[in-house]
Amino acid sequence: MEDNRIKEELRKIPQVDHLMESERTKALTLEWGRVLVLKALKDVISLIKEEIIEKGLSDVTEDKIILSLEKKLRDIDLMKLKKVVNATGIVLHTNLGRAPLPKSAVDLVAEVAGSYNNLEYDLIKGERGKRQLYVENLFKELTGAEDCMVVNNNAAAVLLCLQAFSKGKEVLVSRGELVEIGGSFRIPDVIRQSGCELLEVGTTNKTKLTDYKKNISQNTGILLKVHTSNYTIKGFTETVSMGELSRLAKEKNLLLMEDLGSGSLYDFSQIKDTNEHTVKDSLKSGADLITFSGDKLLGGPQAGVILGKKELISVLKSHPLARVLRCDKMTIAALQAVVEIYAGNGDIKKEMPVLSMIFQDEEELSKKQEKLMTGLLEDVGDIFQISHRMGKAEAGGGSLPGVTIDSPCVLLVPNRGKAHSWQEALRKEKVPVIVPINEDGLMFHVRTLSYEDIDLIIEEIKNVRSEEKGEVKG
Ligand SMILES: *Cc1c(COP(=O)(O)O)cnc(C)c1O
């Protein structure tokens, strides 16, 4: 388009003030608030201007602008943090918030957050007290650790330990354990960020005790073992056990630290092929310091738990970074309720949602599968082929790598239209449903679904259908 025509088209766009005064925009403002509507409107208009200039878009009407505005607002709504239904079968889904908390934790968070509390007040003495002392004491009792410190997440825990005890020195790590967790957590980067130098020992598949030995020098700060949280190395392999490393560390007067990633207070060894050991095991085999996440297999809130020798933890607690990395009261509340479940008399496998999903019995799973299947057949059986399937569920979130659990699913193949359109429509429903695609259909894993989730799924599939989202109907 020539310059004059472009100018002409740009001039046709109504003023923002004028648009904000229109009846339809006013209605939107009532629903969404003026701030959001104005921002969305400005975004929509600059996009339209771009399209006029670059793609020759013409004849932009007020009506078109308002339609784009409505769509923009719906997109903004999808950016809000909200509950979603997880039909992926991945129990600890990092994108979906990892561990759903037990009810007692949710209740305590609400209570503590909505009122004053004794976060840093000692009710026995009536004076200033320490936050999280109770939680840390329970962790000590449950694990046999000399002392405990809780920080914001495991990445923070690792960073703090390395910085406090190895700054300016070398950290020895096996080449096979230079983990990337996803996002931006890479062990080599964290080591550098802590002011330490990474010294890789051994090879990717084999690391021997002598590899550590021959790299130890005056400049060595810490021997670090990292749990290979999201992969397994199979075949011609060799790793050095914590026991062996501990003997070496003692002999050389060095610190031994283990980043457990997904530390667990529950014994997962009953699951076949697992490389997950408990926090207790790690301490028993001689680690001076261990760190793990609160929201992986432990099943709690985002937090990093550090356990280890008393004199070391006390150095950490007085480190300047401790304040930077400390947890919020809501985290401490949630963690307290979770640790109390592990310390209590109840059935941990039932009370902790993460464990109950992983260890769900077949009868329960079949019941859910049946409920979903029956509901769907009744309501939308005419537009889908609906069948039972066996899928593979995973613990996920950097835990139990390589372990899949056979898991009942319901497969929904649309008679017309594409599974992808249904997947998108369900993702954009009021309570978004996240479901993977398999064999050209939607594969609902019931392991990660509650009974209420199943009702919701049925309801929302009916909604999508009645909204006649063109594509979906095919
Ligand atoms: C998950 C993981 C981390 C990071 O833990 P966050 O709690 O997510 O910060 C660090 N190290 C290992 C080995 C992990 O598996």
Side-chain angles (χ1 to χ4, degrees), residues 98 152-156 158 179 181 185 187 226-230 259-262 291-296 302-304 397-399:
R98 289 200 185 149
N152 226 332
N153 54 23
N154 186 32
V158 175
V179 181
I181 300 303
F185 188 91
I187 284 291
V226 185
H227 181 55
T228 56
S229 303
N230 44 15
D259 172 7
L260 272 172
S262 179
T291 71
F292 58 95
S293 293
D295 55 354
K296 291 186 181 172
Q302 177 191 303
S399 43

Side-chain angles (χ1 to χ4, degrees), residues 296-313:
K296 291 186 181 172
L297 285 178
L298 185 72
Q302 177 191 303
V305 183
I306 309 171
L307 296 172
K309 296 270 156 58
K310 197 167 183 58
E311 70 270 17
L312 300 177
I313 300 282

Side-chain angles (χ1 to χ4, degrees), residues 212-228:
Y212 287 92
K213 264 189 189 158
K214 65 188 179 207
N215 280 294
I216 290 175
S217 70
Q218 285 207 315
N219 210 16
T220 308
I222 280 189
L223 304 186
L224 174 63
K225 187 149 180 81
V226 185
H227 181 55
T228 56

Side-chain angles (χ1 to χ4, degrees), residues 54 180 232 242 283 345 350 402 448 463:
E54 275 158 29
E180 172 180 317
T232 51
M242 280 297 286
L283 288 168
N345 303 319
K350 289 221 162 68
T448 43
N463 276 350

